Amino acid sequence: MIDKRSKGARRSRITEDNIREWVESEAFESRNAASMSILESKLNETSAAKDYPAHGSVEENRPDGVFRGMSVQLNGMVTSKVMNRKARLLTSAIKKYEVQFVGIGEVGVNWKKANRKRLLSLLPDLTGEARAMTANNTTENVAVHQQGGVATLALGEIINYYKKGSKDFRHLGRWTSFILQSIQGHRTRIVQAYGVRANRSNILGSVYQQHVRYIQQYLNENVSPRQLFESDLLWQLSVWRALGDRIILIMDVNCHVLTGKLSRALTAEGIDLKEITKEHIGSLCPNTHSSGSEQIDGVWATPDITVTAVKWLPYSESPGDHRSCIFDFTTLSAIGTRERRIVLPACRRLVSSNPAAVTAYIEEMDRQFDIHRIHGRLDDIQTLTNGEFPMSDHCRELMDKLDAQVIEIQLHCESKCRHIYRPDSPYSPDISLWDKRGKMFKRMIDILDGTVKNPGVIRKQARKLGIAAPKMWTYEECVHGVQVCKAWKKKLSKYAPCLRIEHLQQRLLEAEATEDKERAKAIRTMMTREESSSMWSSLSYTFNDNGGRSNAVTRVERIEDGVTVEYTEQTEVERVVREMTQNRFTLADSSPLCSGLLGEQLGYLANTEVAEQILTGTYTAPEEASNATVLVLEEISRIAEVMKEGKVSLSVSPDEFTQYWKRMKERTSSSYSKAHFGHYKAAAMYKQYAQFFAAKLSLIAQSGTPPSRWGIGMTVLLEKIAGLALVNKLRAILLFEADSNMFNRLIFGDRMMELAREYDMIPQEQYAEKQSDGQDGTFVKRLLTDLSRQMKTPLGIVSADAETCYDRIAHVFASLVFQAFGVFITAVMVMLGSIQHMKFYLRTGFGESKEYMTALLGGSGKADKCFGYFVDYEWKDDGSWRYTQVPDKTLNIVLPDGSVEGIALLPVSAARVTLGVSAAPDGQDTQHLHGEGKARDKWKSISTRASLWANRLKNGHLPPKFAWVSYRLQLWSSLRYGLGTLAAPLSELGEVTKNFAYNVLSYLGVNQNIAAGYRYLHSTFGGVGLISLSAEVTIGRLNMFLQHWDMPNPSGRLLRASLETLQLEIGCAGNPLLEPFDPMGNLATHCWMTSFWEGICAFGLQLQMDYPEIPMPRENDRCIMTLAIQMQYR
């Protein structure tokens, strides 16, 4: 029927001969036609039997705060016809009721003999992540079809809490289990069991006879299969209960669920299981087997599991010959937390990396801009304003209408730029051909139904796809054709990834043969992206702290009267967050610049005559102004005087617009209007739109009038630490509009800061500059404590963490500073004016809030977040030194209410984390290297990170290639930060954690017994290529030295002072780093410079630097220390 000689058939590498061979290779079906007929007839009888109505009820849409399970008795899934029907019904029920896990009885498959070795391969229509566990009788291996066997299937969000359980310890496939756990010590075990019949069966393949053979061969006891099952199951359940497990048992008990012997034993003390049907519906299900008269299937739960709903499905919706059960139970009772459904953001159609989507987007935008005369309307507004400030109400209205129209056009163009398909398998010509043929058969059915006006076109397309004589096909043949195409799409889906790779490789060869470099480059990019996407998805799921779970907030906690109170409803969460943020946003009101006479004179935006007097230095402060306020105003006047000739340009050029959006990350979350970064990245690729948006921003900056849209913000609430829901510990990110972001960063972040650098107004202690990071600040602190130790000079250190300090910034003060640094008041009004009355919406795991809050954006210092050290020294009689106790001194911090609270003074050996590095004034780095920590701690030591990574690697079952990528790019990327600032000697470094290399080598595909010397040898020289902590620390120190040596900043000056002090300590005339560390290193005080010196000598590095040598006063003079070393004095 299908013409193999046609063009469509020639395109496919799979022919009808292949299909015939594959069908014939299904040996079981060909050899067991009679058994298949019996199974099919039984299925038909079950379907035709009287279909009882559903018993009980559950909502089709799963409520929040519950897990939903399902019990299914399949009664075999070996033959393709039986399997397809049951798989279809099972998948349909899972999708309809949003089921999260399934307990499956009587799977009927011997997985050792089956062609498909995994349960999930029998359910190809299931989408998303899934975990399956199967158990069958492995004590004998006779045929593919093996009666009995059980399985569990976990789907969707529940996988975040999934842990593998245990199976039948006798390997008879009578039960299997998995565990749900989130909080340590609170876990629920889901058990699927199949109860052996009590009555004797003479069928050799029956479950009864399988167990009889096991008893005869291994036990030689006078016990029936039913007695063995009951005693084993009850013992196993009692063990699990003794371990503290909560249990949900799903079972075909093959006796009455209430009065049967096993059913009564399940309720005994120590097991305490209760069947949930009667408890929650009020009556038992009439019958759960198609030919039965009573309920023999059930779900049992321990009293600590809160079941909320139960429903027994009719036979027409149940995959097997038993009725299936849907049941809900609360997540709070199962895992100890109330989990909410996460509302995921919609997929973006416009992606700048998709050229076809961008082209379609721009083409539609061209059409819409012409229809609505957008360019002309912007020109009209520019003409009307003519540099006018402030902008008139009429122009403001025109500007708002234009802005709203542009946003509407952008969103409309995105909806038209491409269709999003979610195919069952990755594209390849083979799968595509069968997909097109299936669709064509459906169109041919439409022709036969008389619903097609032009059947000739469809028949012509059918012939191109290899369907010969389409006019001669009957209705039944077309229906059969659809089924054949579906079957082969499913068969090919198993090979889809390989077919996809083969297809791309073939296209790449064709492009290279025709010397089409652009196409070849695009194909290589696509191949790399698809390969890396799959890999990084696996790595993220395995190694991320949240275990693949979304960190969107669905619950918050707040401490009230010393008690932690949890809020889980959407309205409650939003209310608590609103109360917290309202309080935070008003902290700036306590500033003297915002209150009293001075506050009235300045106003909110500091655009008054008094503000001008402050900037010009002619203002006289009122008598009630504090000394600190007067000093601040004087400093603002001084800055304005220094920078009076420098002004920040407010004109935005098309090139600046293009360059800005080229470097932006497109994956940034969208703002309230949904006009995400991708819109502007696409527009920046075309000159006419770069000119339009640049002109629009210039008009906004010069007129001092932001669009109304900029006055709406979206606050995204995320967990900083997975599982920590205290409202004051959550991360709140305020999303501005994308073009507002560009305006603020360009004017204030780039131009204003660049102008400040030109006038040398940026302090040297600023470590947030380009080519600088937090490590530099830590390095300066390290050198200060080292120099104090080397010179035995007293030192005081205070770390004052001003909590919520950004919210306490008074905007009137910010406006004065911006103007002093050369920003025109119009640009200041745009930024602060849009914030002044901003409407804040909240985005959590529930989605976006319907209500907004308004507040004036502005912590306060908290003594419990501050600490300090007093460091002093004393000399002992033997010439050595030690740290001495500093006389009683106190450090206090003044709180906003005027009260005073003391700051904790720590001993010099106490390490604290600042700027991501744990350090103590005594120079010891034990805490940073090997400090104990937990997986949920925000900061972790190197040892803790390495151990955590190794444990997750063991549980991840990743191929070695993926493991190496994670080792280099995930583990070591997280460990390298701060290594260059450490002062630990090489003897303390060693491995990142105890036996780390030995424990992970096997997961990296290397024999773990390989000699230690080869483990850290680079692969170029035949080694394994593990990364050495000692080498990395030395490299980091060398980089810090090369970056900061002799620089005109604090770190450069401290580095030179420390090196010169080291020179005095060891008594050499020249550069001490060129002297041998052994034995002269013992003469030096432990510090960063000493450890750096040790690393240079240990690795044989030659350091060349311009360092002056002290001249000898007389000829033949030599340093005493040099002579002492030569004479071997120690």
Side-chain angles (χ1 to χ4, degrees), residues 315-550:
Y315 289 110
S316 58
E317 292 187 37
S318 303
D321 55 355
H322 293 240
R323 296 175 70 161
S324 297
C325 178
I326 307 285
F327 56 95
D328 293 347
F329 55 98
T330 63
T331 61
L332 188 63
S333 64
I335 60 175
T337 60
R338 185 169 184 177
E339 290 301 307
R340 296 288 183 169
R341 181 186 311 221
I342 302 298
V343 178
L344 299 176
C347 177
R348 292 181 183 176
R349 296 177 184 271
L350 177 60
V351 182
S352 62
S353 59
N354 186 328
V358 172
T359 301
Y361 174 84
I362 294 298
E363 288 175 354
E364 181 63 19
M365 184 174 281
D366 287 339
R367 196 173 70 85
Q368 293 295 331
F369 267 48
D370 289 340
I371 291 174
H372 299 284
R373 211 176 64 82
I374 299 298
H375 292 287
R377 287 163 61 184
L378 180 63
D379 293 338
D380 293 343
I381 296 173
Q382 288 176 323
T383 303
L384 286 172
T385 57
N386 194 26
E388 175 186 349
F389 171 73
M391 182 182 282
S392 66
D393 292 340
H394 175 63
C395 290
R396 184 192 298 269
E397 184 180 353
L398 292 176
M399 189 68 181
D400 266 345
K401 286 183 177 180
L402 177 67
D403 181 73
Q405 183 93 65
V406 170
I407 294 297
E408 184 180 333
I409 289 173
Q410 287 178 307
L411 299 180
H412 165 77
C413 294
E414 181 179 17
S415 68
K416 298 291 184 182
C417 70
R418 66 168 173 148
H419 295 287
I420 297 178
Y421 298 100
R422 294 177 176 85
D424 299 329
S425 304
Y427 173 84
S428 64
D430 305 301
I431 295 178
S432 176
L433 178 61
W434 287 107
D435 181 67
K436 290 177 181 177
R437 283 176 174 174
K439 292 176 181 177
M440 189 54 60
F441 280 126
K442 291 179 181 179
R443 295 294 288 150
M444 289 165 63
I445 292 173
D446 292 340
I447 293 175
L448 295 173
D449 289 338
T451 58
V452 177
K453 293 182 179 180
N454 192 354
V457 174
I458 294 175
R459 288 170 182 151
K460 182 178 179 181
Q461 293 173 347
R463 284 190 289 271
K464 289 182 178 180
L465 291 173
I467 304 175
K471 194 172 182 180
M472 306 300 294
W473 287 65
T474 65
Y475 186 91
E476 290 75 15
E477 289 173 335
C478 290
V479 171
H480 181 67
V482 172
Q483 294 172 348
V484 169
C485 293
K486 283 184 177 179
W488 286 108
K489 278 177 61 183
K490 289 181 180 180
K491 278 190 177 291
L492 291 174
S493 64
K494 183 165 53 175
Y495 312 103
C498 298
L499 292 173
R500 173 67 176 171
I501 294 172
E502 181 187 349
H503 165 65
L504 291 176
Q505 289 175 342
Q506 185 65 31
R507 299 287 82 80
L508 179 60
L509 291 173
E510 293 174 1
E512 290 176 342
T514 57
E515 298 184 355
D516 190 342
K517 295 182 180 180
E518 291 289 333
R519 187 176 174 218
K521 180 181 178 181
I523 294 172
R524 287 194 193 95
T525 302
M526 184 181 297
M527 294 173 70
T528 303
R529 183 175 66 244
E530 291 180 5
E531 181 183 2
S532 63
S533 175
S534 173
M535 178 185 68
W536 282 106
S537 176
S538 300
L539 294 181
S540 297
Y541 182 81
T542 303
F543 295 105
N544 277 4
D545 284 340
N546 60 5
R549 184 174 66 89
S550 169

Side-chain angles (χ1 to χ4, degrees), residues 144-175:
V144 178
H145 178 58
Q146 182 187 68
Q147 290 189 26
V150 293
T152 58
L153 188 65
L155 307 156
E157 298 168 7
I158 207 169
I159 293 175
N160 298 321
Y161 315 102
Y162 177 92
K163 297 180 184 295
K164 284 188 176 181
S166 55
K167 302 181 182 181
D168 179 4
F169 57 84
R170 296 192 190 276
H171 309 291
L172 291 172
R174 299 173 296 177
W175 66 76

Side-chain angles (χ1 to χ4, degrees), residues 13 185 217 393 533 630 667 701-702 771 801 856 877 996:
R13 290 179 293 281
Q217 184 175 357
D393 292 340
S533 175
V630 173
R667 294 174 65 88
Q702 293 162 7
Q771 300 178 347
D801 188 344
L856 297 182
D877 294 338
F996 175 77

Side-chain angles (χ1 to χ4, degrees), residues 46 107 115 192 286 327 370 472 482 487 493 514 569 616 758 921 965 1025:
T46 302
V107 180
N115 290 330
Q192 169 64 44
F327 56 95
D370 289 340
M472 306 300 294
V482 172
S493 64
T514 57
E569 297 296 332
T616 56
E758 291 179 13
V965 171

